[in-house]
Amino acid sequence: MAVKTSMTAEVQWNNVKIAKIRDISLDISRNTVDTTALGEHDESAVYGVRTTTGSGTLLYDPADTTTVDLMNTILADDAVASDSLTIVLDTANNKTISGTVLLTSTSVGVSTGEAISVPVQFKVNAKPTATF
């Protein structure tokens, strides 16, 4: 008999759970640097810079202070990367991916009778951390 395990995930902004979020994705990629010497016949490379970007869709709720804080960050005039984003993969076992982020773009979509959706895109500033 197989035992089913149940995991609960959540997303946190500045260490507070975002109450209403539809989805979030994270893309971690690494560039390569060509190290092929003159006269060699085969290309060689080493790892270069890591880039971590992502996107998500918030469901705007004026009663959720975390969502309101995030919206205010999007419209803020300061350029300080002091906001942290944590994707909690498994709340029971504290498995997370987190980092300091810069919000790079957003839009607001409203459909009659539907929740207000706020797609956001972000870039992680420096190396993300994780516990698996």
Side-chain angles (χ1 to χ4, degrees):
M1 179 174 169
V3 177
K4 285 189 173 183
T5 58
S6 176
M7 293 192 315
T8 303
E10 69 183 38
V11 178
Q12 298 174 357
W13 180 255
N14 290 331
N15 301 315
V16 179
K17 179 182 175 183
I18 298 174
K20 296 180 180 185
I21 188 161
R22 181 181 312 159
D23 55 55
I24 193 158
S25 64
L26 195 64
D27 179 37
I28 302 171
S29 61
R30 290 186 85 167
N31 295 334
T32 57
V33 177
D34 187 355
T35 60
T36 310
L38 188 61
E40 291 183 352
H41 297 287
D42 295 300
E43 185 177 8
S44 60
V46 296
Y47 281 120
V49 177
R50 176 183 14 246
T51 302
T52 306
T53 58
S55 63
T57 304
L58 304 172
L59 300 177
Y60 177 71
D61 179 357
D64 176 21
T65 57
T66 305
T67 303
V68 172
D69 288 347
L70 199 153
M71 293 293 293
N72 285 327
T73 299
I74 291 167
L75 298 172
D77 289 333
D78 63 357
V80 178
S82 60
D83 297 300
S84 68
L85 178 75
T86 302
I87 301 170
V88 183
L89 304 171
D90 180 358
T91 55
N93 297 302
N94 198 32
K95 305 298 183 188
T96 65
I97 301 174
S98 62
T100 301
V101 297
L102 300 166
L103 294 172
T104 57
S105 70
T106 187
S107 61
V108 177
V110 180
S111 296
T112 304
E114 296 290 326
I116 298 171
S117 62
V118 183
V120 295
Q121 294 184 349
F122 56 88
K123 181 175 179 120
V124 176
N125 191 16
K127 183 180 179 180
T129 58
T131 58
F132 293 114

